[in-house]
Amino acid sequence: TIYVSPISSILTQLGVSQHQYADDTQLHIAISNSNATTDLCTLESALSALSSWFFHNWLSLNPEKSDAILLGTHQRNNSLRTISSVDVSGSVVPISSHIKLLGVTLDSSLTFNKHVNLISQSCYYHIRSLRHIRHTLDLSTAALIGHALVSSRLDYANSILYGSPKTTVLKFQRVQNTLARIVLQSGRFDHSTTMLNQLHWLPIHSRIRFKIATLTYKALSTGDPAYLANLLHPTRPTYNTRSSSQSLLQPVHTSLKFGSRAFRSAAPTVWNVIPLNIRTSPSLPAFKRNLKTYFFRHPPA
């Protein structure tokens, strides 16, 4: 981490945003219709500077392992069809319809349909394997295996599905219902809500909000990660009201529903409807325990 830290300084000076995780570096820049060519040149200049830094430090930037994608609404992406590739270290990297980033498949319109389909296929594979050995396992062991092999995949980065179409989330819900049916050895017509309650599993739409609320609690209580904590702003009314001491967050209004799915907008929306006694929990384990109980009693709409 210390060795590659200059990358951040180089990109910041060139006006390009970046995010680094281990040996994975992402560069991103906002592109407008009126200045698309200029914005793309800025990004390619940053890539050229980055390649030069690698060269002088006895490293090589590998274009074959680089991906490029345009993220935006369907209408915005159509207006930027002239951008078909990005120059990376002298090589042409074509714009992809989807890329894989830290285990998440991103498509250009952020529908996450491909991501959900891939994860669902993987989950069903493990569910079929579990079904073959279920008769040899007791209930607690079967539930533990189901959580390790399937639920963990459904929960990984699930906060990105906030605001996604119901049909997208429903695919994950069907996976969870199938898993619950195998673990409990229930009939195909048993009600899914009853099975999930018996296993004490929150449904998918509640798990998504649970993840966002947990990230928000961590960011507010510890200030980490900074890139999320900086997006949260407590409400500060100009005069004392009943809500002054409610630990609420300032809502962020967006002109498009597309923007309301971002963490800076989703976090206040999810956080502000949680009861005060839960928002002010003394520790993270207490917060998660109280929040799970609350979601069981009051499922999100």
Side-chain angles (χ1 to χ4, degrees):
T1 301
I2 296 175
Y3 184 71
V4 298
S5 60
I7 293 178
S8 177
S9 300
I10 294 172
L11 297 175
T12 301
Q13 294 173 3
L14 296 173
V16 175
S17 301
Q18 56 84 34
H19 189 82
Q20 294 174 266
Y21 183 84
D23 63 343
D24 188 277
T25 301
Q26 303 115 45
L27 279 64
H28 46 94
I29 189 170
I31 296 180
S32 61
N33 291 337
S34 57
N35 295 313
T37 303
T38 302
D39 295 332
L40 182 61
C41 288
T42 299
L43 177 62
E44 292 180 339
S45 297
L47 287 167
S48 177
L50 190 61
S51 177
S52 177
W53 181 89
F54 270 72
F55 177 79
H56 287 93
N57 286 273
W58 302 93
L59 297 171
S60 177
L61 187 61
N62 190 350
E64 294 183 359
K65 292 186 177 180
S66 301
D67 293 305
I69 190 171
L70 278 171
L71 301 174
T73 62
H74 182 70
Q75 294 79 3
R76 174 58 64 85
N77 288 338
N78 282 337
S79 67
L80 295 173
R81 285 184 175 180
T82 54
I83 300 178
S84 58
S85 62
V86 177
D87 183 281
V88 179
S89 190
S91 299
V92 176
V93 175
I95 299 293
S96 303
S97 60
H98 61 272
I99 62 173
K100 194 165 187 179
L101 180 62
L102 300 178
V104 176
T105 302
L106 303 178
D107 57 275
S108 58
S109 297
L110 294 180
T111 63
F112 296 108
N113 286 331
K114 188 172 183 64
H115 170 73
V116 169
N117 289 338
L118 291 174
I119 297 298
S120 297
Q121 291 175 11
S122 175
C123 289
Y124 280 126
Y125 169 81
H126 292 291
I127 289 175
R128 288 192 294 269
S129 299
L130 177 60
R131 182 177 58 187
H132 292 315
I133 64 171
R134 175 63 186 90
H135 65 282
T136 67
L137 307 172
D138 59 77
L139 177 59
S140 61
T141 303
L144 183 63
I145 293 175
H147 175 73
L149 297 180
V150 179
S151 296
S152 60
R153 286 177 166 81
L154 298 178
D155 288 340
Y156 178 73
N158 63 352
S159 58
I160 61 175
L161 297 179
Y162 178 84
S164 297
K166 291 183 179 180
T167 53
T168 302
V169 179
L170 183 60
K171 294 178 182 179
F172 269 5
Q173 189 58 62
R174 288 171 180 162
V175 173
Q176 188 187 43
N177 293 345
T178 303
L179 175 64
R181 188 170 290 109
I182 297 301
V183 170
L184 294 173
Q185 295 181 300
S186 302
R188 60 181 300 183
F189 297 108
D190 289 356
H191 200 280
S192 59
T193 302
T194 303
M195 293 188 297
L196 296 179
N197 288 339
Q198 184 176 346
L199 292 168
H200 206 59
W201 290 353
L202 288 172
I204 298 300
H205 66 282
S206 295
R207 298 170 90 97
I208 293 172
R209 286 160 177 76
F210 182 89
K211 176 66 72 61
I212 293 175
T214 302
L215 291 172
T216 304
Y217 181 90
K218 289 180 179 178
L220 291 174
S221 59
T222 67
D224 293 320
Y227 60 86
L228 291 184
N230 293 338
L231 299 176
L232 305 175
H233 305 284
T235 56
R236 291 187 175 87
T238 55
Y239 53 89
N240 290 330
T241 63
R242 291 178 57 186
S243 62
S244 301
S245 58
Q246 295 294 304
S247 300
L248 299 175
L249 294 176
Q250 183 67 42
V252 177
H253 302 287
T254 59
S255 57
L256 297 175
K257 184 178 180 181
F258 190 85
S260 66
R261 295 167 56 187
F263 181 81
R264 65 194 299 261
S265 178
T269 302
V270 173
W271 181 260
N272 289 348
V273 298
I274 298 174
L276 176 63
N277 65 305
I278 299 179
R279 295 198 302 268
T280 56
S281 297
S283 64
L284 180 60
F287 174 80
K288 295 170 69 173
R289 181 174 60 252
N290 295 335
L291 183 60
K292 186 175 182 180
T293 301
Y294 174 76
F295 278 160
F296 267 116
R297 295 175 179 175
H298 307 279

